[in-house]
Amino acid sequence: MDTATVQSEFLQQLFAHRLLIPSGVDGLYGRGTWFERVVEGIDAAVQRIGAPDNAEALHFPPVVTQHNYQLSEHFKSFPDLVGVVRGFRGKDKDHLALVEKMERGEDWAANFGPTGVIMTPAACYPIYPTLKGTIPPEGKRVTVLSYCFRYEPSLDPARLQMFRQREHVRIGTPDDVREFAATWKARGEQLFKELSLDSWSDVANDPFFGRVGKMLAANQRDQGLKFELLVPITSREKPTACCSFNYHQDHFGHLFEIKLPTGEWAHTACVGFGLERTTLALFKTHGFDVEKWPATVRERLKL
Amino acid sequence: MTDQIRDVVRQHARLAVPVEQIPDDGDLYAAGLTSHASVNLMLALESAFDVEFPERMLRRRAFESIAAIRSALEELRGNG
């Protein structure tokens, strides 16, 4: 069976077991009771293994401001994935025109204009603008959980348009972020092992857009700036990244003016756990009935 | 050509050391050239020299030194 068929069948099974709830749009689903309990279990497990870091927990709505979005230069790398929120600003006349267009099934998007709000593309994006200035000598550690949006409709349940990432972010010297990545790699591998997931790590690149993207992707691989913990969900040849490590060098430090006490731009790195992806990996590995999962896995997730 | 390359590097590479201190064969990445800055450098070189780097040159190695950039540009202009 080809991968697309396997993905589509897995999705239908998830619907049938009320783990995901269809919405009519590919990649946008409700979550059923057990699906959500597993998501929460994974998040809690990640937070327990990260507890020694004493990271500051921040919470943001799943949007970033247009100003901060532009500062992030995300649009240079991923213009095809971003979601922009638009809103209606008009008079009665415009409203009537809008209603008529909608009723006639015509394109009404032009009646909506910019709101200055962009959907969060990755959970850590709202963090960097809050760190402008000089960070303390020991650097900073922040953790955040957020829904993210990526415009990529797909029948692959592991490629959702809205999904959650639990991220831990380190801001500091190049040595600080390297040590952070090594620590979290070991923690992630240990957690996946305890969840009885068949996983391995590999160097990776982001899906950068266009010609410039080819160079960024090649650089990212050559320099080992991104690596992932992969789990086969619907394919062994194309395993799914359930945990991703990204070293941004001083990219965000420079863009958001985050400085080390020495005056140099701070380096940043993040580790993100894909909560839906890890949940899907567990359902694929251990079956659709959580009560029949191995006791060790249920214990680890407090299920 | 080397002087013009140095000008573009000075303006776009965001190096940790002044470009004057870097020999033609000096490693620009070791001098602080980051992944994103190397893309900005690549685009600025295309604009300054009115060329378009083909996909096979969109690699880290093509921009690793002033000499490497010079040789890539010469190849594109048919002088290499």
Side-chain angles (χ1 to χ4, degrees), chain A residues 192-206:
Chain A
F192 283 7
K193 196 171 141 196
E194 288 170 8
L195 296 177
S196 297
L197 292 176
D198 175 16
S199 84
W200 61 92
S201 67
D202 202 1
V203 174
N205 61 264
D206 283 311

Side-chain angles (χ1 to χ4, degrees), chain A residues 211-212 214 219 223 249 251, chain B residues 38-39 46 53 55 60:
Chain A
R211 251 181 97 239
V212 161
K214 291 212 163 47
N219 284 351
Q223 294 178 275
Q249 299 175 309
H251 180 62
Chain B
S38 71
V39 169
E46 288 192 339
F53 292 105
E55 209 171 290
R60 195 170 146 74

Side-chain angles (χ1 to χ4, degrees), chain A residues 158-268:
Chain A
R159 192 163 293 285
L160 299 174
Q161 294 201 73
M162 287 202 80
F163 54 92
R164 278 160 291 181
Q165 290 178 333
R166 162 60 67 184
E167 289 215 47
H168 280 254
V169 181
R170 184 77 169 103
I171 306 101
T173 65
D175 283 347
D176 290 337
V177 300
R178 266 191 288 272
E179 187 255 325
F180 164 88
T183 301
W184 271 104
K185 179 167 181 274
R187 286 171 174 172
E189 285 171 343
Q190 177 68 21
L191 176 63
F192 283 7
K193 196 171 141 196
E194 288 170 8
L195 296 177
S196 297
L197 292 176
D198 175 16
S199 84
W200 61 92
S201 67
D202 202 1
V203 174
N205 61 264
D206 283 311
F208 294 109
F209 184 80
R211 251 181 97 239
V212 161
K214 291 212 163 47
M215 182 157 159
L216 284 172
N219 284 351
Q220 197 179 29
R221 278 186 172 271
D222 287 353
Q223 294 178 275
L225 299 179
K226 182 183 184 81
F227 60 93
E228 297 171 332
L229 295 186
L230 301 163
V231 182
I233 297 182
T234 50
S235 161
R236 180 156 277 279
E237 291 69 40
K238 292 180 191 161
T240 300
C242 290
C243 178
S244 168
F245 303 80
N246 293 277
Y247 176 24
H248 318 117
Q249 299 175 309
D250 66 353
H251 180 62
F252 288 127
H254 176 71
L255 294 174
F256 291 104
E257 299 179 35
I258 309 166
K259 284 184 181 168
L260 300 171
T262 57
E264 293 168 294
W265 299 122
H267 283 232
T268 60

Side-chain angles (χ1 to χ4, degrees), chain A residues 3 28 40 52 91 127 133 158 207 209 211 238 254 265 275:
Chain A
T3 304
L28 289 179
E40 288 168 3
K91 306 270 191 238
I127 294 174
F209 184 80
R211 251 181 97 239
K238 292 180 191 161
H254 176 71
W265 299 122
L275 298 183

Side-chain angles (χ1 to χ4, degrees), chain A:
Chain A
M1 218 175 345
D2 64 275
T3 304
T5 309
V6 175
Q7 291 172 346
S8 180
E9 285 194 358
F10 185 40
L11 182 61
Q12 291 308 319
Q13 289 172 317
L14 292 159
F15 289 159
H17 287 87
R18 300 290 288 169
L19 292 169
L20 292 180
I21 316 298
S23 74
V25 175
D26 294 338
L28 289 179
Y29 310 119
R31 277 73 168 155
T33 307
W34 277 104
F35 190 95
E36 198 59 16
R37 287 184 66 181
V38 175
V39 164
E40 288 168 3
I42 296 164
D43 185 49
V46 172
Q47 292 307 80
R48 281 194 296 274
I49 56 175
D53 291 358
N54 280 317
E56 184 187 12
L58 297 180
H59 306 265
F60 297 94
V63 290
V64 291
T65 67
Q66 184 172 320
H67 176 74
N68 287 333
Y69 177 76
Q70 287 178 208
L71 281 181
S72 78
E73 296 193 347
H74 179 272
F75 59 92
K76 286 191 180 176
S77 300
F78 312 103
D80 51 335
L81 296 178
V82 69
V84 177
V85 179
R86 293 159 66 112
F88 178 70
R89 280 283 156 143
K91 306 270 191 238
D92 279 338
K93 180 164 61 72
D94 309 300
H95 181 215
L96 283 175
L98 171 67
V99 170
E100 280 179 19
K101 277 188 201 169
M102 281 193 176
E103 284 177 349
R104 287 200 296 259
E106 292 173 10
D107 181 11
W108 44 265
N111 292 68
F112 281 71
T115 58
V117 175
I118 312 283
M119 303 297 286
T120 293
C124 62
Y125 270 65
I127 294 174
Y128 307 108
T130 69
L131 296 169
K132 182 174 175 172
T134 301
I135 58 170
E138 69 277 15
K140 295 276 287 181
R141 294 174 186 269
V142 180
T143 181
V144 66
L145 165 67
S146 181
Y147 261 104
C148 307
F149 176 87
R150 292 184 192 169
Y151 177 52
E152 46 180 354
S154 164
L155 286 173
D156 178 3
R159 192 163 293 285
L160 299 174
Q161 294 201 73
M162 287 202 80
F163 54 92
R164 278 160 291 181
Q165 290 178 333
R166 162 60 67 184
E167 289 215 47
H168 280 254
V169 181
R170 184 77 169 103
I171 306 101
T173 65
D175 283 347
D176 290 337
V177 300
R178 266 191 288 272
E179 187 255 325
F180 164 88
T183 301
W184 271 104
K185 179 167 181 274
R187 286 171 174 172
E189 285 171 343
Q190 177 68 21
L191 176 63
F192 283 7
K193 196 171 141 196
E194 288 170 8
L195 296 177
S196 297
L197 292 176
D198 175 16
S199 84
W200 61 92
S201 67
D202 202 1
V203 174
N205 61 264
D206 283 311
F208 294 109
F209 184 80
R211 251 181 97 239
V212 161
K214 291 212 163 47
M215 182 157 159
L216 284 172
N219 284 351
Q220 197 179 29
R221 278 186 172 271
D222 287 353
Q223 294 178 275
L225 299 179
K226 182 183 184 81
F227 60 93
E228 297 171 332
L229 295 186
L230 301 163
V231 182
I233 297 182
T234 50
S235 161
R236 180 156 277 279
E237 291 69 40
K238 292 180 191 161
T240 300
C242 290
C243 178
S244 168
F245 303 80
N246 293 277
Y247 176 24
H248 318 117
Q249 299 175 309
D250 66 353
H251 180 62
F252 288 127
H254 176 71
L255 294 174
F256 291 104
E257 299 179 35
I258 309 166
K259 284 184 181 168
L260 300 171
T262 57
E264 293 168 294
W265 299 122
H267 283 232
T268 60
C270 65
V271 52
F273 287 82
L275 298 183
E276 280 82 357
R277 282 184 167 184
T278 309
T279 298
L280 290 166
L282 286 163
F283 279 114
K284 186 72 185 180
T285 305
H286 303 306
F288 295 109
D289 186 351
V290 174
E291 288 171 338
K292 292 181 181 155
W293 285 8
T296 50
V297 175
R298 297 185 61 184
E299 167 55 27
R300 195 75 183 79
L301 297 173
K302 310 235 185 272
L303 288 169

